[in-house]
Every structure is written in structure tokens, then in C-alpha cells.
């Protein structure tokens, strides 16, 4: 059982797993092997055949959206491994949030009758080295380098044909969240039979092991008949559940949290620098509970931005009205467990 803690986690995991499979098939890296190799250990082909004999259970429309999004990204994007945290750290390092405040500039050349040192007097000679904490700090935060793919162009291309994928079992599910949905929670508590029946129906189709092509737009034959009965095919699976997603998350929550954090950041940063440089003594409260250092503030900011951006990207996948991702290459690769008409009665 695979479950993500936040929206978008499942899509990222599926996309990364597919990219790893493509790298293995292209010979760019070896297949995964456990620490102990057993004599009867199945080969890679046997493992994949075993996966095709089984299936994948998707619980709820939001899971279908994330699964299809990860599926499309995995078979479309580059196979190059990218450290998202490192890329974000480089981006944040150049946005000026942690830059030192500029020193005030004095226009006149003399103060109290003494000549002010000019720029020519401050600059070292050509062979001298100038070491400054500020200079070192700014040089380490240069603009993020542009990452280029090191993979051969003929290998790092999206395949025109996608191999057969495990059959999908679509299970309807609605998670009621929020105070406004308490009546739905109470109704569901006293009407569990509807959930039991829905679960029994999908379990029966799994036991019968009847499979049909994934009903998608512009499909024909059997899929077109399923589309007419399901009002749009499997891409519209459990569509009414989307009306209950509005209270789960809103982008304004992230923007509010981000604004509150950055409003308080300058004061925290000033305190951290003052204590580290000894320009002032710590208070009794700071002695008891030391404030975060500048390094800790940078790490905290990176962690928060990773979560905020992940939440926003995940919401763009599952939000109401957002269609399920689809690629024409999935037409011959996907199947769905479904009951046959003669079994129902």
C-alpha cells in the first residue's frame, strides 16, 4: 500500500519509478538487487510479468489524478536525475532574502577635518588577496547554474510506444473534510452499507478478473460503449467527489503562511547575525532558548519552500475542475478491471 502524506507525493513517486525503469531499459544503470542474491530470485522480466498478472488499486478520483499525472511525466520527461532540493537551494540563494544590508554612503570627503579613505586607498595591489566574510558569502550565492542533461540525445527521448502496464482497479471514495461537511459525515456513519456495496462490486470485478481497455477520449469499439454508460469514460471516474474537495486545501493558505514567515524573517536574521558577531549580548530568554542561527534559518526556509511549492503543485493536479492527464500512448497500454454484463443480475 502506497500513500502520500501530501498532495503530489504519489505523482512524484510514480514519475521517478518510471524514469528509473527507462534508465534500466536504456542500460544507463543496473536493475535493483537486494543485499543477498538468492539462487531462485526472479529475473527482471519475470518480475514485470508478475506485475502484469496482478494490478493496481486506485482509491478515489484524487488518486487517479495523481497516478495519471505521474504516469505521463514518467514517460514524457527527461530521464536525467535532478535533485529538486539542490535546484531550489540555488534558486533561493540568489533572491536576496539573506543579503547583507548596504552600508550608508558618505558623500563628503572629509569628516572632522580628516580625509576619508578613498576607494583607491582601500583596494589591495594586484598580487594581494582580499578575504572578507561578506565577499565570501556573496560569492557562494552566485546565480544557480543551468543544469544540462548528460544523457545521449538518442536515449533521453520519450518513447513512441509505452509497454503494457498493470491493470487498474478503480475504487470510488470520498473523504469528507471540514466543518461544513459534518452532515455528510453523520449520514455516512449511519449508511455504511453504501460503502460496503461499492467495495464489494469492485472486489467482485477483481475476482472475476475480467479486463477491458481503458475508456478514454477518441477510443472506439468496446471502450466507446463504456464511455456512453459512464458519461465520458474512465477519465471521468468518480467525478461527483470533486465537489467536496474545496475545503481540503486552498492556495491562499500557502500564500498567507509564506507572507507571515517572510515578514518575520528579517528580525530573526538580524538577531542571529548580531549574536554570532558579538555586537550585542544575548538576553536571558535567548540564553535559555537560543534563537536559530543563520544556517538554521536557511535550512528552515528551504524546508518550508519545498513544502509550500509541493502543496501548490499537488493542488494543481487534484483541484476540482482539473482534468485527468492523458496521453494517446496510454490507449494500448492501460486496462481496467470491470464486471461483465452477464455477471450482473
Amino acid at each position: 500500500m502506497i500513500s502520500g502524506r501530501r498532495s503530489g507525493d504519489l505523482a512524484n513517486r510514480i514519475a521517478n519509478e518510471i524514469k528509473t525503469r527507462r534508465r534500466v531499459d536504456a542500460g544507463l544503470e543496473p536493475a535493483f538487487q537486494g543485499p543477498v542474491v538468492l539462487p531462485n530470485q526472479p529475473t527482471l522480466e519475470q518480475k514485470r510479468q508478475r506485475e502484469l498478472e496482478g494490478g493496481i488499486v486506485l482509491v478515489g478520483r484524487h488518486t487517479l489524478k495523481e497516478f495519471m499525472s505521474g504516469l505521463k511525466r514518467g514517460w514524457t520527461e527527461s530521464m536525467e536525475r535532478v535533485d529538486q532540493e539542490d535546484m531550489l537551494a540555488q534558486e533561493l540563494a540568489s533572491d536576496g532574502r539573506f543579503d547583507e544590508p548596504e552600508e550608508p554612503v558618505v558623500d563628503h570627503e572629509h569628516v572632522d577635518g580628516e580625509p576619508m579613505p578613498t576607494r583607491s586607498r582601500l583596494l589591495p595591489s594586484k598580487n594581494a588577496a582580499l578575504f572578507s566574510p561578506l565577499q565570501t558569502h556573496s560569492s557562494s550565492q552566485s546565480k544557480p547554474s543551468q543544469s544540462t542533461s548528460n544523457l545521449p540525445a538518442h536515449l533521453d527521448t520519450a518513447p513512441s510506444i509505452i509497454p503494457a502496464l498493470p491493470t487498474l482497479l478503480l475504487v470510488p471514495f470520498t473523504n469528507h473534510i471540514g466543518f461544513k461537511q459534518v452532515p455528510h459525515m453523520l449520514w455516512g456513519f449511519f449508511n455504511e452499507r453504501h460503502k460496503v456495496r461499492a467495495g464489494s462490486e469492485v472486489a467482485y470485478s477483481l475476482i472475476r478478473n475480467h479486463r477491458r481497455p481503458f475508456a478514454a477520449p477518441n477510443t472506439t469499439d468496446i471502450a466507446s460503449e463504456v464511455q456512453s454508460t459512464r458519461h465520458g469514460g474512465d477519465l471521468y471516474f468518480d467525478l461527483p467527489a470533486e465537489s467536496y474537495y474545496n475545503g481540503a486545501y486552498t492556495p491562499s493558505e500557502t500564500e498567507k503562511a509564506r507572507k507571515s514567515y517572510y515578514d518575520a524573517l528579517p528580525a530573526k536574521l538580524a538577531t542571529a547575525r548580531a549574536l554570532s558577531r558579538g555586537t550585542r549580548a544575548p538576553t536571558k530568554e535567548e540564553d535559555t532558548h537560543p534563537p536559530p542561527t543563520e544556517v538554521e534559518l536557511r535550512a528552515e526556509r528551504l524546508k518550508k519552500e519545498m513544502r509550500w511549492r509541493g502543496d501548490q503543485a499537488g493542488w494543481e493536479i487534484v483541484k476540482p475542475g482539473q482534468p485527468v492527464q492523458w496521453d494517446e500512448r496510454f490507449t494500448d497500454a492501460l486496462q481496467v478491471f470491470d464486471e461483465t454484463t452477464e455477471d450482473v443480475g
Side-chain angles (χ1 to χ4, degrees), residues 125-274:
S125 63
K126 294 182 179 180
N127 297 327
L130 176 61
F131 295 96
S132 169
L134 300 183
Q135 186 180 19
T136 305
H137 175 75
S138 61
S139 61
S140 64
Q141 293 191 8
S142 58
K143 294 183 179 180
S145 59
Q146 298 294 333
S147 59
T148 57
S149 177
N150 298 323
L151 303 179
H154 68 281
L155 293 178
D156 196 17
T157 56
S160 58
I161 299 177
I162 295 178
L165 302 174
T167 308
L168 305 181
L169 179 65
L170 305 179
V171 182
F173 174 76
T174 302
N175 186 21
H176 295 289
I177 300 177
F179 180 77
K180 294 182 179 180
Q181 298 189 30
V182 170
H184 297 284
M185 301 178 193
L186 296 176
W187 186 92
F189 180 79
F190 292 102
N191 293 273
E192 294 286 346
R193 63 184 183 276
H194 296 283
K195 300 179 182 178
V196 174
R197 179 173 181 174
S200 301
E201 289 175 351
V202 295
Y204 180 71
S205 63
L206 179 63
I207 295 172
R208 296 292 297 177
N209 197 25
H210 177 262
R211 310 180 186 209
R212 61 165 176 80
F214 191 95
N218 301 326
T219 54
T220 57
D221 300 333
I222 298 177
S224 61
E225 298 178 3
V226 178
Q227 278 187 313
S228 61
T229 57
R230 296 200 173 206
H231 307 287
D234 293 316
L235 296 182
Y236 289 80
F237 163 73
D238 207 16
L239 183 60
E242 286 197 358
S243 60
Y244 301 103
Y245 289 171
N246 289 326
Y249 167 82
T250 55
S252 60
E253 297 177 7
T254 296
E255 293 302 326
K256 182 178 179 180
R258 179 182 277 118
K259 183 179 184 304
S260 176
Y261 171 77
Y262 282 116
D263 287 345
L265 179 61
K268 295 180 179 180
L269 188 58
T271 300
R273 288 172 173 170

